[in-house]
Amino acid sequence: MTGKAAPRTSGEGNTRTRLDRGRGALGPALELVHTGRAPTRAVLTSELGVTRATAGAVAAELEALGLIRVDAHPGAAAGAQGRPSHRLEVAEDGPVALAAQVHADGFRAALVGLGGRIVATAPGCETVDADPAKVLRSVVEAGAGLLHETGRRCVGAGLAVPSAVAEPEGLALNPLHLAWPVGAPVRKIFAECVRAAGITGSAFAANDVNLAALAEHRHGAGRGSRDLLCVATGHRGVGGALVLDGRLHTGSSGLALEVGHLTVNPEGRPCHCGSRGCLDVEADPLAFLQEAGRDAGPEVSQLQQADDLIRTGYPADPAVRTAVEVLIDRLGLGLAGLVNILNPDRIILGGLHRTLVEADPERLRAVVADRSLWGRSSGGVPILPCTLDHNSLVGAAELAWQPVLDDPLAALV
């Protein structure tokens, strides 16, 4: 062997030239496939604004990186005109991101591929220690076990927590429903646990509702929205998030959209923040159970208890029906204020709020329209339930995938 390179054919040279010209399009192309906006090479060509040959070279490079699959034998759809186009889809056996979520009733780890596909999950833990380092070490170890079992390459790790996460330090400023200290450096702790577990790639942490909104915008009920408002109640409290032009609006230091502390019942329950009647304590699962005259048992989470009660007792049970109406009215009051301030083009609701809007969508839309100036003048803002079952986990993975979406070659080669 002399080590001399084999002569390159003219076709190979042309392909390399086209790829060199389209190298800057690798990230945008991957994001288009990742979010389902480029199901074929023809659509990819149009969306990128490049030649068909350059789009082909870009798709081939992404396939060589193990990120997407290009249908080698395209077929025309029934009734379609013109040349059939190669279909593009994410690689089912490609790399994954480690996603972790901590909430008041436990934690969970998962592996998430491109396209927001959950590849594997570890059994969730039902207790959360007061020491964040202990909790994060456990959830990362669970994720490392999944990586070992599946043999997948990991691009990085993301963490969702039920707290505002201050930037740039990554501090959990208000983990009100956890026993963690205020200002716990969750991003630093999480990154240390990831490195200790031998997991490659960067580690990120953010608020769980922010991440739910990001996931829904890319893969769920928020797709196609420009100004998306997400409001959700998970296991405790109420959170909100805003996606503007495809990016999370987090404010100057990551603390925007703390919607849980909007007052919706001035004479209502005392809130952790020192006020009364905040959305956080008037429209979460515990508030619903109390309104329905039920005690929250320890067997399953309060979220599951509230969801189950609505699905089995509404509208036949008068107490459940009244509780649904009360929470919808309070939620609608909060949403109307947000509509007046933010003027979103779509609202999506998660957690118990998803169940409420599914139970009586017209009541909620009527309350928001009646209480908001723009709701009355424009016929109302679309209000939809979230569609991803584990959107905070998927959103945590999106954080880890972002460097790959920005520059696939730099991230993976």
Side-chain angles (χ1 to χ4, degrees), residues 184-273:
V186 291
R187 182 177 298 144
K188 179 175 181 289
I189 297 170
F190 184 60
E192 290 171 349
C193 293
V194 167
R195 285 194 298 271
I199 299 171
T200 58
S202 299
F204 304 86
N207 170 262
D208 53 1
V209 179
N210 275 352
L211 297 180
L214 181 62
E216 292 285 346
H217 185 267
R218 291 183 175 179
H219 308 293
R223 287 173 67 173
S225 171
R226 178 173 175 175
D227 300 317
L228 176 69
L229 172 64
C230 175
V231 175
T233 176
H235 294 259
R236 303 280 198 286
V238 175
L242 185 66
V243 179
L244 300 177
D245 288 327
R247 296 193 175 275
L248 280 170
H249 172 71
T250 56
S252 61
S253 57
L255 308 180
L257 271 292
E258 280 292 301
V259 305
H261 300 289
L262 291 171
T263 300
V264 293
N265 183 16
E267 305 302 320
R269 300 172 177 82
C271 183
H272 321 279
C273 70

Side-chain angles (χ1 to χ4, degrees), residues 66-78:
L67 296 171
I68 73 169
R69 291 286 176 265
V70 182
D71 182 7
H73 304 287

